[in-house]
């Protein structure tokens, strides 16, 4: 993340790189100007008016900002879905949602989609504070200091249910695994035995099947879990208390 301290509008050790998406080109320019005036360390590194473009850039390590500020109402992809698509893939981008409408109509879904704050567009101090917290992967006021929080209609505190980026990523990632299908007993047992250090041949003997069948159980388990490797699959199951 882009900064190591949260000190209101004081200069920090490194700039906070910010991406901005809003389907209204005029609103994008106004928001960019306002955000860059909020802190000497704020850098808007790119803007766009399509949610799909914002998702693509946030998932590209070369273009990924520290924080994405996204409008909630857009034409191609709703702001909540922009947040979900990013958060399920990475915890590396802080997500700050802004809107001109009532926060209550977006709050619950913004929480579920892994955002760190939801702030009214008119709450400039709230936006600034939300960006600073999100740059550290934290929900607004999640550290309990309250410095720089907006006086208006803002939703980013623990009480509102917003999570840190890492926790939100883990929950959404796990939800995706469940959606892909539960492991069979044989698939789960195969991963458990690998975790105990057995070889493929030893597992085959233990299960009374061929080595090729063991490899099939492993391959299917990895596919269902969306795992990159056997070790990754085992770590997922350990985290989910499945083995």
């Amino acid at each position: 993340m882009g900064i190591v301290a949260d000190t209101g509008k004081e200069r920090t050790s490194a700039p906070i790189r910010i991406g901005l998406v809003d389907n209204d080109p005029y609103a994008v320019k106004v928001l960019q100007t306002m955000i860059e005036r909020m802190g000497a360390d704020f850098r808007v590194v790119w803007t766009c008016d399509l949610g799909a473009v914002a998702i693509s850039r946030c998932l590209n390590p070369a273009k990924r900002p520290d924080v994405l500020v996204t409008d909630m109402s857009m034409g191609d992809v709703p702001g909540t879905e922009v947040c979900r698509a990013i958060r399920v893939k990475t915890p590396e981008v802080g997500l700050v949602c802004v809107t001109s409408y009532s926060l209550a109509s977006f709050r619950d879904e913004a929480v579920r989609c892994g955002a760190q704050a939801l702030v009214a567009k008119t709450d400039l101090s709230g936006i600034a504070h939300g960006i600073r917290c999100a740059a550290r992967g934290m929900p607004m006021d999640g550290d309990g200091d309250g410095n720089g929080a907006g006086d208006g209609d803002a939703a980013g505190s623990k009480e509102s249910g917003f999570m840190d980026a890492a926790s939100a990523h883990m929950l959404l990632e796990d939800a995706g695994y469940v959606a892909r299908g539960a492991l069979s007993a044989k698939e789960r047992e195969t991963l458990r035995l690998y975790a105990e250090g057995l070889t493929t041949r030893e597992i085959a003997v233990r299960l009374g099947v061929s080595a090729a069948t063991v490899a099939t159980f492993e391959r299917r388990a990895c596919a269902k879990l969306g795992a990159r490797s056997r070790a990754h699959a085992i770590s997922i199951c350990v985290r989910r208390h499945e083995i």
Side-chain angles (χ1 to χ4, degrees):
M1 293 295 178
I3 62 173
V4 296
D6 184 10
T7 55
K9 292 188 177 180
E10 297 176 5
R11 184 179 297 275
T12 52
S13 61
I16 301 175
R17 302 173 67 255
I18 301 165
L20 173 61
V21 56
D22 191 309
N23 69 333
D24 181 343
Y26 174 75
V28 166
K29 292 181 180 179
V30 171
L31 273 173
Q32 178 178 359
T33 299
M34 292 193 303
I35 288 171
E36 290 180 334
R37 291 176 178 175
M38 289 174 182
D41 52 327
F42 285 6
R43 302 283 188 276
V44 176
V45 293
W46 53 257
T47 67
C48 63
D49 57 9
L50 292 174
V53 173
I55 293 169
S56 176
R57 291 179 179 177
C58 286
L59 297 181
N60 181 340
K63 297 182 179 180
R64 179 181 296 159
D66 300 313
V67 178
L68 176 70
V69 177
T70 177
D71 185 35
M72 298 303 283
S73 301
M74 290 187 290
D76 65 328
V77 182
T80 50
E81 291 308 309
V82 169
C83 291
R84 187 191 303 277
I86 294 168
R87 184 58 70 235
V88 75
K89 293 291 187 180
T90 179
E92 295 299 318
V93 181
L95 301 171
V96 175
C97 302
V98 296
T99 182
S100 299
Y101 300 99
S102 168
L103 298 186
S105 60
F106 294 109
R107 180 182 285 109
D108 291 346
E109 189 62 20
V111 170
R112 286 193 291 268
C113 290
Q116 278 58 71
L118 172 62
V119 190
K121 283 186 178 180
T122 54
D123 184 4
L124 302 186
S125 60
I127 293 174
H129 186 58
I131 289 172
R132 291 190 184 284
C133 291
R136 295 184 290 113
M138 298 301 295
M140 193 164 79
D141 291 337
D143 53 4
D145 63 8
N147 292 335
D151 297 326
D153 189 15
S157 66
K158 289 178 180 178
E159 292 74 16
S160 296
F162 285 80
M163 293 178 288
D164 63 89
S167 296
H169 169 64
M170 184 178 297
L171 287 176
L172 285 173
E173 196 177 34
D174 282 349
Y177 298 146
V178 171
R180 294 187 186 103
L183 297 183
S184 70
K186 293 294 187 182
E187 291 161 353
R188 188 180 300 107
E189 182 68 1
T190 295
L191 291 181
R192 186 186 70 79
L193 293 173
Y194 273 128
E196 291 183 359
L198 275 68
T199 66
T200 299
R201 188 175 298 278
E202 289 170 336
I203 294 172
V205 172
R206 181 77 64 89
L207 298 181
V209 298
S210 68
T213 299
V214 172
T216 297
F217 289 152
E218 177 192 354
R219 184 170 61 253
R220 289 178 179 173
C222 287
K224 287 181 179 180
L225 295 170
R228 298 182 297 273
S229 64
R230 178 193 302 167
H232 187 203
I234 291 171
S235 71
I236 292 167
C237 287
V238 169
R239 190 173 72 224
R240 291 167 56 179
H241 307 291
E242 291 192 0
I243 61 173

